[in-house]
Amino acid sequence: MALFRLILKNTFRQKLRAFLTIAGIAIAILGFSFLRTVISGWYGGVEASSQNRLITRNAISLAFPLPLAYKGVLQGIPGVTGVSYGDWFGGVYIDEKNFFPQFAIDAPTYFDLYPEFKVPPEQMQAFLRERNAAIVGVKLATRYGWKIGDTVRLRGTFFPSDWDFVIRGIYKGAEPTTDETQFFFHWQYVEERERQNDSPMAGHVGWYVLRVSNPELAGPVSQAIDQRFKNSLAATLTESEKAFQMGFVSMTESILIALKIVSFLIIGVILVVLSNTMAMTVRERLKEFSVLKAMGFRPRHLMTLIAGESLLIALLGGGLGIAVTAPAVAVFAKKLENFFPLLRVETATYLACLLTAVGVAFGAAIFPIWRAITLKIADGLRRIG
């Protein structure tokens, strides 16, 4: 108890220096946790992937479509228990800044493969009955103030002209990692107009979604599908949903690497800031440490005093940084919900911040402890002048 009182008193002996150090650590921890949260959000789609879903797309690129006629063949592949398809729409709502994912889907089969999208039964029935109906995520509906029955007009980019959709359903996610910012509507609605315009896109889909009976069949089923269409005009590439999502993440890998490097550099900044403070503190108290040693204080007592002071400063700064992380991320997520729909602070991030603060505290105390322990009493007292 006496040592704890000494630690508490020594920590705030130089109040301005102590508070500035705590503030510096808090800002650094906030930056570290913020970057780790953004990196986690980047992988949000990957983490939400299902193990028993496969994606089949054109082997050349996702930009090239696949014939609708493939659906019947895919249904006959052993191990496949469900097939649906979709296409990226890429429309503009009012202006380009209002970006959100829009998918033309095979409505009767799509939601059966995505049970994480929870739609009230009566809303689903209304959606299936109406060709220009749409189902939107609850976060997307909240963002634009949409409600059931509202008409949303999108200006087509890949599919020219204006498109009106009537919202007949609003889904919620079954898991915290489920994206609630998506906009779904009938692929047949787009197909009808494409056929009227004699478009070459008629009769084609963007990709197929397949469900396999066992995740262990993912590899053999993928190989069987790609082998089946190997010599066709549109060869396929089939991969797990997780690998498909990772393909998008890998496009921005250099940005992710830069963010990871910066997050670790921040730890170095924390270590330098606290090490400087502790080095100054011990240098100013060499006289006191000599007196304490003359009074019978042993090395472990000095070690406890110095490490305890470093740990207290680090925990106060780290705790402050952790406390403001969630509100800061919430503000950021609200502003950039279009690009980071799954941005949230994970428990692992909090633990990483806490462990970082503790590790930095002991790392910053090593040299000051060594200097205090190896100090000879006579040398310390001689410094008194």
Side-chain angles (χ1 to χ4, degrees), residues 286-288 290-291 377-385:
L286 289 178
K287 163 192 168 183
E288 295 179 17
S290 297
V291 172
I377 297 176
D379 291 340
L381 294 175
R382 193 176 297 119
R383 285 174 173 270
I384 299 173

Side-chain angles (χ1 to χ4, degrees), residues 34 97 99 139 142-145 181 326-344:
F34 193 81
K97 69 178 182 181
F99 171 81
K139 287 185 178 178
T142 302
R143 186 195 307 169
Y144 295 112
T181 65
V329 169
V331 172
F332 180 80
K334 190 172 182 59
K335 294 291 183 184
L336 294 178
E337 192 178 42
N338 299 0
F339 305 100
F340 296 99
L342 301 176
L343 200 64
R344 61 192 179 87

Side-chain angles (χ1 to χ4, degrees), residues 5-275:
R5 289 178 179 174
L6 277 175
I7 291 171
L8 192 61
K9 187 173 182 180
N10 287 336
T11 300
F12 296 102
R13 183 181 293 184
Q14 295 289 338
K15 290 184 174 59
L16 179 60
R17 186 166 65 198
F19 285 126
L20 288 177
T21 304
I22 290 171
I25 294 174
I27 294 172
I29 287 291
L30 172 62
F32 174 75
S33 61
F34 193 81
L35 287 178
R36 301 308 301 181
T37 300
V38 170
I39 293 171
S40 297
W42 221 296
Y43 286 94
V46 178
E47 298 300 325
S49 301
S50 171
Q51 293 184 346
N52 66 345
R53 280 198 297 258
L54 302 178
I55 305 295
T56 296
R57 62 180 177 86
N58 194 299
I60 299 175
S61 167
L62 190 60
F64 291 86
L66 292 173
L68 179 62
Y70 281 14
K71 181 182 179 183
V73 179
L74 293 173
Q75 288 173 325
I77 300 292
V80 175
T81 60
V83 178
S84 187
Y85 53 86
D87 206 349
W88 174 257
F89 186 71
V92 176
Y93 176 61
I94 301 178
D95 59 46
E96 282 75 6
K97 69 178 182 181
N98 297 317
F99 171 81
F100 51 84
Q102 306 147 19
F103 300 104
I105 60 169
D106 182 40
T109 59
Y110 192 83
F111 287 98
D112 180 49
L113 270 62
Y114 288 89
E116 60 266 40
F117 297 137
K118 299 296 183 184
V119 185
E122 65 279 8
Q123 294 182 13
M124 178 59 75
Q125 291 303 316
F127 168 69
L128 293 174
R129 284 194 300 268
E130 199 168 346
R131 185 55 57 91
N132 67 334
I135 287 181
V136 303
V138 63
K139 287 185 178 178
L140 185 63
T142 302
R143 186 195 307 169
Y144 295 112
W146 293 339
K147 57 185 182 299
I148 301 295
D150 284 356
T151 298
V152 176
R153 170 166 292 185
L154 300 180
R155 174 162 48 86
T157 52
F158 301 117
F159 303 94
S161 76
D162 292 334
W163 301 74
D164 291 330
F165 301 97
V166 181
I167 297 177
R168 294 302 182 196
I170 297 176
Y171 76 84
K172 293 182 179 178
E175 305 291 339
T177 55
T178 305
D179 187 357
E180 297 177 331
T181 65
Q182 301 188 42
F183 188 100
F184 298 106
F185 53 90
H186 294 266
W187 176 87
Q188 286 76 11
Y189 181 43
V190 179
E191 172 71 0
E192 286 178 357
R193 194 175 295 186
E194 291 299 291
R195 287 189 179 280
Q196 291 172 1
N197 296 332
D198 198 21
S199 168
M201 292 296 292
H204 289 79
V205 303
W207 60 86
Y208 286 96
V209 184
L210 300 91
R211 182 180 57 213
V212 292
S213 56
N214 189 330
E216 294 180 356
L217 295 176
V221 169
S222 299
Q223 293 177 2
I225 293 172
D226 294 342
Q227 186 64 31
R228 174 65 180 77
F229 298 109
K230 184 177 181 180
N231 296 318
S232 64
L233 291 176
T236 60
L237 173 62
T238 304
E239 54 194 350
S240 66
E241 188 179 55
K242 187 171 186 177
F244 180 73
Q245 295 287 352
M246 276 300 295
F248 291 100
V249 174
S250 62
M251 296 178 187
T252 57
E253 189 174 8
S254 57
I255 298 176
L256 285 174
I257 292 175
L259 290 177
K260 290 177 181 177
I261 292 174
V262 172
S263 68
F264 288 116
L265 286 177
I266 289 176
I267 297 177
V269 172
I270 305 172
L271 183 61
V272 170
V273 170
L274 188 56
S275 297

Side-chain angles (χ1 to χ4, degrees), residues 293-341:
K293 293 174 85 172
M295 292 171 63
F297 275 65
R298 304 183 68 82
R300 68 172 183 274
H301 296 132
L302 301 183
M303 185 184 303
T304 302
L305 286 173
I306 297 172
E309 185 175 340
S310 179
L311 183 62
L312 181 59
I313 292 174
L315 288 180
L316 287 173
L320 182 60
I322 291 173
V324 299
T325 293
V329 169
V331 172
F332 180 80
K334 190 172 182 59
K335 294 291 183 184
L336 294 178
E337 192 178 42
N338 299 0
F339 305 100
F340 296 99

